[in-house]
Amino acid sequence: MKRRACIVVASELTVRSFLVHQILAMQEHYDVTVVVNTTNARFLHDLGTLASLRPLGIKRHVSPMSDLRCLVALIRLMRTERFDLVHSVTPKAGLLAMVAAWFTRIPVRVHFFTGQVWATRTGISRAALKLLDKVVARAATFALADSPSQREFLIAEGIVQGSKSAVLGKGSICGVDPARFRPDLVARRAIRGSLAIPAHAVTLLFVGRLHRDKGVLDLACAFATLADRRPDVHLLIVGPDEQNLADAIRARCSRHRGRLHFSGFTGRPELSMAASDILCLPSYREGFGSVIIEAAAVGLPAVASRIYGVTDAVIDGETGLLHDPADIEGIVAQLERLVSDPELRRSLGTSAQRRAARDFSQGAVTAAVLDLYARLHTGNVPLERGCAVVRHSARAGESSNTKSSTPSRMAPGLFARGGKRVLDVVAASVGILLLLPLTACLALLIRLFLGSPVLFRQRRPGLHGEPFVLVKFRSMTNRRDASGQVLPDDQRLTTFGRFLRATSLDEIPELWNVLVGDMSLVGPRPLLMEYLPLYTPVQARRHAVRPGITGLAQVNGRNGLSWEKRFELDVEYVDRCSLVLDAAILARTAAAVILQQGIRQPGRATVDYFQGNVARHG
């Protein structure tokens, strides 16, 4: 039987914006129930999910009688359904859900902190709201924060404990979908045309709730000042007007109303991003600033406040520019830098886009969520430097069936927990010493036949997707065509290089990667960093173990396999990891090397690049 999971949120918008992808992934392993304030009985069905809907009138503002009724309703629901896991998002939903789950003894209770309302408050209101967050954290068995700096803030303020809190990957509640958030020239022309924004104009964009804490009034003042100097600047504001601030914004921009545009709430913010040039977030408080990463995926640099949460989403001077909160002159100065320097704008936007794809892919964050669930069910939450931080986890799609035929998926054995690493260190040390004469000879021959450098180095994703530098013997020349472009692989792979690959002698330096802990003797082969955003959550589980010099895919066809089959075997290894399996793979590797099986794909010198078609549709 599947485990039973309950997600509790206060708003449909939270589900639509952040949780749909995770709910879809959870359905493979949980019977999912979503508790949300909605009157639309088809809400979840319209989103394409199979989860059960339980409407509940959870309000954002304080309403004692309504809140008490919601708490009683949640307690009844949890007593009846006997969930294995309850996960809440947003403050009010978190307080009610975690208290109800604690009262009914739900074994795994997770709350996701996405920013603290009290961070900008003082006096009694700050103390009261802070106390409620402490209640949430104490009632939960584990807490998530959507950025490293927010987690540090929560620990420093005594809200959460380091050993009972985590950040998914490098931040974000859900990551970003690169297939959705991307540059779109058609949308750019259409949106600009509908708003009468000239093609040459520089468009500033704000996306979010119109709330004073978001700094929208500061942005309006800054735009008015900048627009006095720059007739080519427009401001587009997208989002619901929660505090009726539209008139105040118009008043501050009265001299330039023709260049001020409101779009209201939209379920397609990526279209407005494609039509814009700079993302602005002058917020006073943020848990992370997901909108910054979404805009980055579209290629927009950000001008944003230097506050916790936002500093995880923006690298100052590399993916955007930061200013002090409430500093209108600082906002103007940073915006003017980007408006007046198109090359800087393009450079920061390109860097932001690369970082969004590398560090904040939706698949990696979803994989990390499911991995955390699996670890919490078994009590196996890893500690790193004294704090539990879930990296780009690869165990998404992990079965939660208590009667699974592959118990290693739920509870890694002694070998996987420590014996494997001991074996790696011993074997790598002995191998390096025994092969030292051969290594020296090969290095000399490579220098003679292929030139310098002797070693090939490249960043590859390791355990949990964290990058490391792979070291191999070089097997290709640096030959280029008349225009200076590197020639195709088959033209750079010499007879000697083919020999190195056929005999796997080019892999000898990887023993050093094994010795220092970047790799293992046996595991999924480390592929390219750019593949990370293309994996499905299930495929991403290949990174739940250290990558290997050889692996299950390598002894079952190697490069002759389709990508789909390779990933299937990689994930199978993660589930079955054991001393017996590793010994069998090492023995079969020796045979495969002798017989020179699966070295390359038919008709190619090496192997086709993974285009992501399997990952998107798998």
Side-chain angles (χ1 to χ4, degrees), residues 95-356:
L95 178 63
L96 298 176
M98 290 299 100
V99 170
W102 172 83
F103 187 80
T104 53
R105 299 184 179 182
I106 303 299
V108 177
R109 309 182 295 275
V110 181
H111 177 68
F112 212 128
F113 286 98
T114 57
Q116 287 65 57
V117 176
W118 48 268
T120 57
R121 304 286 183 89
T122 58
I124 295 176
S125 64
R126 176 185 173 90
L129 292 170
K130 185 175 176 180
L131 177 61
L132 293 179
D133 267 358
K134 286 185 177 181
V135 171
V136 172
R138 297 302 182 272
T141 57
F142 204 80
L144 288 169
D146 58 3
S147 71
S149 60
Q150 183 195 184
R151 178 173 176 271
E152 292 169 5
F153 175 78
L154 290 170
I155 293 173
E157 292 289 333
I159 304 299
V160 303
Q161 301 174 30
S163 60
K164 291 178 60 179
S165 60
V167 175
L168 300 173
K170 296 189 177 180
S172 174
I173 184 174
C174 64
V176 61
D177 180 1
R180 177 185 173 192
F181 291 90
R182 56 185 176 80
D184 187 336
L185 291 177
V186 174
R188 183 178 179 87
R189 295 190 189 102
I191 297 296
R192 285 186 171 234
S194 67
L195 297 174
I197 299 176
H200 68 277
V202 179
T203 302
L204 314 179
L205 174 68
F206 172 87
V207 178
R209 297 176 293 113
L210 272 63
H211 192 287
R212 283 179 172 80
D213 281 356
K214 292 288 186 179
V216 287
L217 297 181
D218 295 341
L219 178 59
C221 292
F223 169 69
T225 301
L226 183 62
D228 287 339
R229 308 172 188 171
R230 301 285 309 212
D232 58 338
V233 175
H234 286 240
L235 173 60
L236 173 58
I237 296 178
V238 179
D241 190 359
E242 284 191 353
Q243 293 188 326
N244 298 315
L245 297 179
D247 288 342
I249 293 172
R250 290 189 181 96
R252 285 162 171 75
C253 303
S254 57
R255 299 186 303 278
H256 309 289
R257 288 198 177 187
R259 289 187 274 155
L260 174 65
H261 313 274
F262 289 90
S263 185
F265 170 76
T266 176
R268 300 291 303 280
E270 66 272 18
L271 301 182
S272 298
M273 292 172 181
S276 304
D277 300 289
I278 302 169
L279 188 282
C280 305
L281 188 62
S283 186
Y284 299 161
R285 60 177 179 86
E286 290 289 335
F288 176 65
S290 295
V291 68
I292 293 174
I293 299 303
E294 292 171 346
V298 182
L300 271 60
V303 171
S305 302
R306 189 180 287 104
I307 58 174
Y308 82 81
V310 170
T311 53
D312 298 288
V314 178
I315 301 177
D316 194 18
E318 182 176 328
T319 66
L321 301 176
L322 297 177
H323 57 78
D324 292 334
D327 180 5
I328 296 174
E329 291 183 0
I331 299 172
V332 173
Q334 300 294 49
L335 287 174
E336 193 159 28
R337 280 184 65 189
L338 289 186
V339 169
S340 60
D341 190 342
E343 183 55 40
L344 176 62
R345 198 163 66 238
R346 281 192 293 271
S347 174
L348 295 182
T350 299
S351 295
Q353 189 175 26
R354 289 173 180 165
R355 182 171 183 248

